Amino acid sequence: MSESLTLLKRREIEAAFFKTLMGALLEEMTEEELREAVGKALCGAAREAGRRAACEGDGLEDLKKGLALWSEGGALAIEEIPDEEGLAFDVRRCAYAELYEEMGLGPWGAVLSCNRDFAFLEGFNDALELRRSETIMEGGSRCDFRYRSRG
């Protein structure tokens, strides 16, 4: 896949492929089994993406640079929150959530995207942690990202 594609466009291609397969897969397994299998596969890919990203640096400031990639093309409207101990921001608009809704995959959005955030961080630097209490994909008014060093 071309590196010139935005992350949002890549997610759209992945979701279209998933939607094509979903019907056939649900004939062979339950929805819960499918959610678990898809989540496991995507989290594995996200961990690997985190490891690759860490080659450029694995601190909070390096993580902050990744926001540009995730937000490219207006995919996320981010409000940074001052935080002397970590990196904190709220996502106020999420084009990823909008995309999945438009594709009829809204209930799958957290599996297809949100869960990757934690796995990415595991691969990026397991000395960092992410705390999040809500996501737009799961009906929240925002996605609250709070990154800190463990301990």
Side-chain angles (χ1 to χ4, degrees):
M1 191 172 309
S2 172
E3 289 298 318
S4 64
L5 293 177
T6 65
L7 187 57
L8 181 62
K9 188 63 176 174
R10 285 187 239 170
R11 292 287 190 271
E12 181 181 5
I13 293 166
E14 290 172 1
F17 182 69
F18 171 70
K19 189 172 182 179
T20 299
L21 292 176
M22 188 169 67
L25 292 170
L26 286 172
E27 290 177 10
E28 304 297 323
M29 58 181 42
T30 67
E31 184 173 321
E32 183 63 30
E33 290 169 330
L34 181 56
R35 283 180 180 280
E36 186 174 323
V38 169
K40 183 177 180 179
L42 293 177
C43 285
R47 270 187 219 88
E48 182 55 36
R51 284 191 275 282
R52 285 192 311 271
C55 292
E56 302 294 319
D58 66 355
L60 288 170
E61 283 301 314
D62 302 301
L63 186 62
K64 186 176 181 178
K65 293 175 190 172
L67 292 177
L69 172 68
W70 303 331
S71 302
E72 194 173 34
L76 301 174
I78 294 177
E79 174 187 340
E80 289 192 44
I81 310 293
D83 186 341
E84 293 181 17
E85 297 180 23
L87 172 62
F89 59 91
D90 289 343
V91 172
R92 295 295 180 173
R93 185 187 143 270
C94 177
Y96 300 96
E98 295 163 5
L99 169 71
Y100 296 133
E101 275 301 319
E102 289 170 12
M103 295 179 78
L105 293 170
W108 287 86
V111 173
L112 297 174
S113 265
C114 301
N115 292 346
R116 296 183 196 211
D117 298 332
F118 294 94
F120 177 89
L121 191 61
E122 288 174 19
F124 183 76
N125 183 341
D126 63 5
L128 300 176
E129 68 179 354
L130 168 61
R131 292 185 183 169
R132 187 171 58 208
S133 65
E134 65 180 317
T135 66
I136 293 169
M137 292 236 204
E138 296 173 304
S141 63
R142 65 185 177 145
C143 305
D144 57 331
F145 286 80
R146 305 298 184 263
Y147 292 96
R148 304 269 184 298
S149 292
R150 293 188 191 275

